[in-house]
């Protein structure tokens, strides 16, 4: 009896173990499916933000070396040839000046990344920020009126030590509080300009930090129809967010084109943006911006090398995309309404550079202008972009190219010292998303920031 009961008990126990094993196996399988799905969601969404241009090299090499899909040796070499013109410090003999802000592209876009929020008052050390300037007008003309001797930007250094306009940058601080009680401090820049030759002209200025140069070729290759569609997307309408294209002039052809580069999307191509930098930041004439009737100081070949260097550089791979905290941060990014402007997925179309065509990319921008509210207004119009309007900043590579010597800065004028501060400044069309961010629990806020820091 006892023996039979024992056997039965054993059988039951074995069946139990079997069932348990089966359940565990099924559980593991289900968990595997969930993890795999989560993983592929994460992987698909942002581990390879630049599509085939995504680079696994350490930063800043990722953005400086030709992207992995640039396989043609001649194309790789062409990209490499842009490194020197981008990073070398230009001299008077190479056309620099008489006045300039910084003598190399890399002097502002440090390691192809962000510049510091500094304006130098010493002639020896160049500035890493730009102060755009124009004469106040009634807003009726498409292009802002330039300031005599300054053009469109204050050039605060000179090659021969002759006096230039001087810029003074100071900060004012304000404090805020999360509903949970935690306090935060924000800062806001104040710029004053003393024009050269004691000119007392009334001017309007706008301070800009130097943004990182990540995947600009891919942003150039997104069809404008896609940009237009985004502004009509149901989720954007539901969030009462209305992005706008800034139609600007393509200087080479004189035609209207979609503005994509600069904080107010004022240049349509990497080439034109680079040519404008040569002319406005360094007073170096070039094939696009030149004095009438003179030989440009930078040749077509050099301008092309500069552009291709930036366009065909890699996009840094995102990290930790399958970490649970990053995954919940990403979910919050969508549910708070951030993704309505910072679009996670775009597909590139036709483009003269074959490497840039038909890529699925994750830049976290819609490249459109949005009203960001009075607190972020600079009162400075560029084409149709008003003082409160800014192009959604791409968030790919947020973690990349850190310069550990300097604090990172964010937003158009470098006022935000952390990603968190950048979000807290959001207003206007982004006010709802900002309020939802402020209302998050500390742990959720940390998860969102962790996600952004992993991009
Ligand atoms: C004095 C600092 C400074 C120098 C020098 C400089 N830049 Fe810039 N760069 C900026 C600023 C500021 C912006 C944003 C401009 C705006 O908001 O319109 C910018 C924007 C850009 C952009 C667009 C990035 C984007 O995401 O929209 C590109 C590309 C670029 N610069 C390339 C260059 C190249 C190439 C050179 C050298 C020929 C150069 N820059 C020199 C400060 C600088
Ligand atoms: C209505 C559109 C919109 C929404 C919604 C929005 N943003 Fe932005 N975001 C922008 C624009 C435009 C800028 C540039 C503003 C500036 O430079 O003054 C920006 C800038 C940023 C920056 C700074 C990036 C840099 O490199 O300087 C971060 C970080 C950011 N947004 C994160 C978020 C997060 C997180 C959310 C959701 C809580 C969000 N944004 C919601 C439009 C939006």
């Amino acid at each position: 009896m006892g023996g039979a009961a024992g056997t039965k008990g054993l059988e039951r126990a074995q069946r139990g173990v079997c069932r348990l094993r089966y359940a565990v196996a099924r559980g593991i399988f289900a968990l595997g499916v969930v993890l795999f799905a989560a993983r592929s969601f994460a992987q698909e969404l942002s581990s390879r933000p630049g599509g085939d241009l995504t680079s696994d090299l350490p930063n800043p090499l990722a953005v400086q070396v030709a992207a992995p899909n640039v396989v043609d040796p001649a194309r790789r070499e062409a990209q490499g040839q842009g490194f020197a013109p981008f990073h070398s410090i230009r001299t008077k003999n190479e056309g620099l000046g008489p006045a300039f802000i910084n003598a190399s592209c890399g002097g502002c876009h440090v390691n192809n990344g962000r510049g510091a929020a500094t304006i130098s008052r010493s002639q020896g050390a160049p500035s890493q920020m730009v102060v755009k300037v124009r004469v106040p007008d009634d807003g009726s003309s498409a292009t802002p009126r330039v300031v005599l001797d300054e053009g469109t930007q204050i050039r605060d250094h000179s090659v021969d030590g002759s006096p230039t306009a001087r810029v003074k940058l100071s900060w004012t601080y304000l404090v805020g509080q999360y509903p949970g009680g935690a306090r935060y401090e924000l800062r806001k820049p104040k710029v004053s300009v003393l024009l050269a030759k004691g000119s007392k002209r009334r001017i309007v200025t706008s301070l800009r930090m130097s943004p990182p140069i990540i995947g600009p070729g891919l942003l150039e290759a997104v069809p404008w129809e896609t940009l237009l569609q985004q502004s009509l997307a149901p989720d954007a309408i539901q969030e009462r967010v209305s992005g706008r294209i800034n139609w600007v002039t393509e200087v080479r052809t004189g035609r209207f084109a979609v503005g994509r580069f600069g904080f107010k999307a004022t240049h349509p191509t990497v080439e034109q943006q680079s040519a404008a930098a040569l002319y406005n930041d360094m007073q170096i004439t070039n094939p696009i911006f030149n004095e009438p009737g003179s030989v440009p100081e930078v040749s077509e070949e050099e301008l092309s090398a500069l552009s291709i260097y930036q366009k065909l550089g890699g996009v840094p791979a995102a990290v930790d995309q399958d970490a649970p905290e990053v995954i919940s941060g990403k979910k919050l990014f969508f549910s708070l309404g951030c993704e309505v402007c910072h679009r996670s997925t775009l597909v590139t179309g036709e483009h003269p550079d074959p490497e840039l065509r038909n890529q699925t990319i994750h830049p976290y921008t819609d490249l459109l202008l949005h009203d960001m509210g009075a607190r972020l207004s600079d009162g400075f119009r560029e084409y149709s972009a008003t003082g409160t309007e800014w192009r959604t900043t791409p968030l790919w590579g947020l973690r990349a190219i850190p310069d550990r010597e300097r604090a990172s800065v964010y937003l158009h004028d470098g006022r935000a010292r952390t990603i968190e501060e950048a979000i807290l400044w959001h207003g206007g069309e982004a006010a709802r998303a900002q309020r939802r961010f402020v209302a998050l629990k500390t742990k959720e806020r940390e998860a969102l920031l962790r996600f952004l820091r992993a991009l």
Side-chain angles (χ1 to χ4, degrees):
M1 262 286 296
T7 324
K8 261 190 201 145
L10 198 67
E11 273 172 13
R12 219 181 293 135
Q14 272 173 349
R15 271 205 305 273
V17 168
C18 251
R19 266 203 299 270
L20 190 69
R21 272 209 204 119
Y22 177 69
V24 167
R26 228 177 35 176
I28 288 175
F29 177 74
L31 193 69
V33 169
V34 169
L35 284 179
F36 180 78
R39 197 188 161 84
S40 54
F41 169 69
Q43 294 282 340
E44 193 235 325
L45 261 187
S46 42
S47 265
R48 317 299 296 166
D52 297 338
L53 277 84
T54 308
S55 170
D56 291 310
L57 288 175
N59 292 311
L61 285 181
V63 279
Q64 294 178 338
V65 172
N69 74 334
V70 184
V71 283
D72 179 348
R75 301 276 291 163
R76 285 193 81 82
E77 197 185 322
Q79 192 275 342
Q81 270 167 5
F83 182 90
F86 192 92
H87 292 284
S88 65
I89 293 172
R90 289 168 195 266
T91 62
K92 195 176 168 186
N93 289 342
E94 292 159 321
L96 182 71
F100 65 97
I101 309 173
N102 197 309
S104 76
C105 313
C108 284
H109 304 285
V110 183
N111 283 334
N112 302 51
R114 288 163 205 274
T118 55
I119 291 209
S120 160
R121 303 195 71 192
S122 119
Q123 280 296 358
S127 299
Q128 292 192 344
M129 295 184 103
V130 163
V131 177
K132 294 200 173 192
V133 63
R134 64 175 177 78
V135 176
D137 55 36
D138 60 6
S140 58
S141 79
T143 42
R145 285 168 57 203
V146 301
V147 178
L148 207 64
D149 291 335
E150 297 299 338
T152 57
Q153 289 175 191
I154 300 286
R155 289 179 285 246
D156 54 355
H157 295 76
S158 66
V159 286
D160 54 7
S162 57
T164 58
R166 303 298 296 270
V167 179
K168 194 168 161 263
L169 172 64
S170 54
W171 302 94
T172 50
Y173 296 83
L174 39 143
V175 288
Q177 201 167 20
Y178 285 109
R183 288 160 74 83
Y184 54 81
E185 181 199 65
L186 302 175
R187 65 167 193 182
K188 201 180 160 158
K190 188 173 177 310
V191 164
S192 56
V193 177
L194 192 67
L195 288 174
K197 297 175 194 156
S199 161
K200 292 266 189 306
R201 276 198 94 121
R202 246 168 46 79
I203 52 168
V204 189
T205 59
S206 177
L207 178 68
R208 305 285 165 91
M209 61 88 86
S210 308
I213 313 284
I214 296 172
L218 290 164
L219 299 179
E220 203 178 273
V222 179
W224 68 269
E225 293 90 336
T226 307
L227 305 188
L228 208 60
Q229 275 160 16
Q230 296 179 125
S231 62
L232 305 169
D235 56 350
I237 291 168
Q238 201 197 327
E239 282 288 305
R240 292 187 225 134
V241 160
S242 57
R244 244 165 27 86
I245 288 177
N246 197 7
W247 290 98
V248 302
T249 310
E250 186 175 45
V251 178
R252 264 198 204 273
T253 58
R255 289 206 205 106
F256 271 124
V258 175
R260 292 166 195 262
F261 301 106
F263 286 103
K264 289 197 199 266
T266 43
H267 290 292
T269 60
V270 176
E271 187 193 53
Q272 184 169 316
Q273 173 82 48
S274 305
L278 285 167
Y279 192 75
N280 295 318
D281 303 357
M282 305 179 189
Q283 274 205 327
I284 297 177
T285 60
N286 57 75
I288 299 184
F289 298 97
N290 196 11
E291 311 298 341
S294 64
V295 181
E297 289 158 334
V298 155
S299 65
E300 281 289 359
E301 290 71 41
E302 194 180 334
L303 181 58
S304 153
L306 258 182
S307 320
I308 228 162
Y309 168 67
Q310 300 170 79
K311 285 193 288 185
L312 298 188
V315 173
V319 296
D320 300 339
Q321 293 299 302
D322 43 10
E325 197 187 15
V326 171
I327 293 173
S328 34
K330 180 181 308 182
K331 290 195 177 128
L332 284 165
F333 187 80
F334 279 76
S335 63
L336 299 182
C338 313
E339 205 267 344
V340 165
C341 298
H342 296 279
R343 289 293 187 197
S344 58
T345 303
L346 298 175
V347 181
T348 67
E350 273 309 301
H351 192 275
D353 296 311
E355 297 87 348
L356 301 174
R357 292 176 200 152
N358 308 319
Q359 296 293 326
T360 300
I361 58 170
H362 309 295
Y364 297 95
T365 177
D366 56 4
L367 290 175
L368 299 174
L369 296 175
H370 294 278
D371 180 339
M372 295 296 283
R375 292 200 314 167
L376 282 177
S377 175
D378 63 350
F380 195 93
R381 196 173 42 83
E382 293 185 82
Y383 292 96
S384 71
T386 64
T388 56
E389 284 180 311
W390 301 98
R391 176 204 67 169
T392 309
T393 310
L395 302 180
W396 58 6
L398 257 191
R399 85 189 158 84
I401 337 175
D403 185 344
R404 290 192 178 80
E405 318 282 292
R406 295 169 307 131
S408 284
V409 290
Y410 306 89
L411 297 179
H412 65 271
D413 53 13
R415 67 177 64 193
R417 292 158 293 184
T418 58
I419 294 173
E420 182 179 359
E421 284 181 25
I423 304 169
L424 288 168
W425 276 109
H426 280 51
E429 291 174 29
R432 297 169 126 209
Q434 190 266 12
R435 281 199 296 272
R436 291 181 193 127
F437 172 77
V438 169
L440 289 178
K441 295 192 193 83
T442 311
K443 245 186 109 184
E444 294 170 321
R445 205 150 54 226
E446 273 161 15
L448 179 74
L449 295 172
R450 169 93 201 280
F451 159 65
L452 292 170
R453 280 196 293 264
L455 291 180

